[in-house]
Amino acid sequence: MKEKMDMIKLLLVEDDDSLSFMLKGSLELLGKYEIHTATNGIEGISVYNKIHPDIIVADVEMPQMSGFEMVKKIRETDVHTPIIFASARKNPKDLIDGLNLGADNFIRKPYLPEELNIQILVLLRRIKENQVTTHTDHKYTFGTSQLDTQIRSLELGNGKKFS
């Protein structure tokens, strides 16, 4: 049995019920996912506020509120939750717009659930690696930067020091 604490809490916002059902089932078979679904941006924001997911996968074109609009609203208060856009749109401008709105990645439809799964895992691994990696009583490492609370100094990865 899967332990809850190891689960990836994913918000899947997709207006195509068949695709949503297939992705949910496939991802649950591929990994340890707790998947919550929404069918449009308005519902996506509501579910997001209730569950505070580890990651969001959102379609771009949806009724009532697009994925772009939803992400823009989420990014007003949350710049940390990773977001992947999934879209059949082929115009490079859509990719650029999505990433500029704050998405972390963009996957083009059609795609295999395994492709989405690996993108999710890589993105979450990268984020975890950038969080606090070591801790001694007074020293904290954040990626390549180090904070020493005992002597009140911060040393950035580029060698700059602040006291």
Side-chain angles (χ1 to χ4, degrees), residues 75-126:
R75 285 297 188 231
E76 289 174 1
T77 58
D78 176 358
V79 296
H80 299 292
T81 301
I83 299 172
I84 299 173
F85 275 124
S87 179
R89 291 183 174 185
K90 302 290 186 218
N91 188 338
K93 183 180 180 326
D94 294 320
L95 169 78
I96 293 165
D97 289 346
L99 295 175
N100 282 334
L101 282 171
D104 298 280
N105 212 340
F106 200 103
I107 188 169
R108 296 206 191 275
K109 293 178 182 178
Y111 56 87
L112 296 172
E114 292 84 357
E115 292 176 74
L116 180 58
N117 179 56
I118 196 63
Q119 282 202 24
I120 291 168
L121 295 177
V122 167
L123 187 54
L124 291 175
R125 181 181 69 217
R126 190 172 307 137

